């Protein structure tokens, strides 16, 4: 009931980014893990997406698991490499 919301459902009705996905005007990459225990990727599939929204679903990654190392020999994070490759592919 903090910040003027009646409950968690009221908060998400008013503040969820899913209500803005159809209005995005710049290229935006949404990355989901199918095994995320907190965020169900299927919720975004129910939304109308702007053509600028690029959706990526990884079978693994958990919640914030994309920050993990791609490997010590590579010395970079998985998410950094994905975003770099996505930008290069769209130029």
């Amino acid at each position: 009931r903090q910040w003027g919301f009646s409950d968690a459902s009221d908060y998400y009705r008013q503040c969820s980014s899913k209500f803005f996905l159809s209005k995005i005007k710049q290229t935006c990459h949404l990355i989901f893990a199918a095994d995320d225990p907190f965020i169900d990727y299927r919720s975004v599939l129910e939304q109308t997406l702007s053509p600028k929204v690029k959706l990526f679903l990884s079978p693994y990654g958990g919640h914030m698991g994309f920050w993990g190392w791609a490997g010590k020999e590579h010395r970079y994070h998985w998410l950094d490499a994905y975003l770099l490759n996505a930008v290069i592919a769209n130029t």
Side-chain angles (χ1 to χ4, degrees):
R1 297 186 185 217
Q2 281 187 316
W3 313 109
F5 300 103
S6 60
D7 55 26
S9 294
D10 182 40
Y11 168 79
Y12 285 109
R13 269 193 306 278
Q14 293 188 53
C15 298
S16 176
S17 60
K18 71 181 182 180
F19 300 116
F20 303 99
L21 295 173
S22 65
K23 299 176 177 124
I24 292 176
K25 296 181 180 176
Q26 297 295 320
T27 300
C28 173
H29 298 268
L30 297 180
I31 304 171
F32 291 92
D35 66 348
D36 188 323
F38 299 108
I39 300 173
D40 186 348
Y41 73 92
R42 293 172 292 194
S43 64
V44 77
L45 300 178
E46 299 168 355
Q47 305 306 311
T48 300
L49 303 178
S50 159
K52 295 290 189 174
V53 173
K54 310 299 180 200
L55 187 60
F56 179 80
L57 176 63
S58 171
Y60 305 106
H63 190 68
M64 298 297 291
F66 302 116
W67 293 108
W69 284 102
K72 289 184 180 183
E73 69 277 6
H74 301 294
R75 308 218 40 63
Y76 64 84
H77 291 280
W78 180 93
L79 180 60
D80 296 339
Y82 170 74
L83 293 175
L84 179 61
N85 289 330
V87 168
I88 290 170
N90 287 311
T91 57

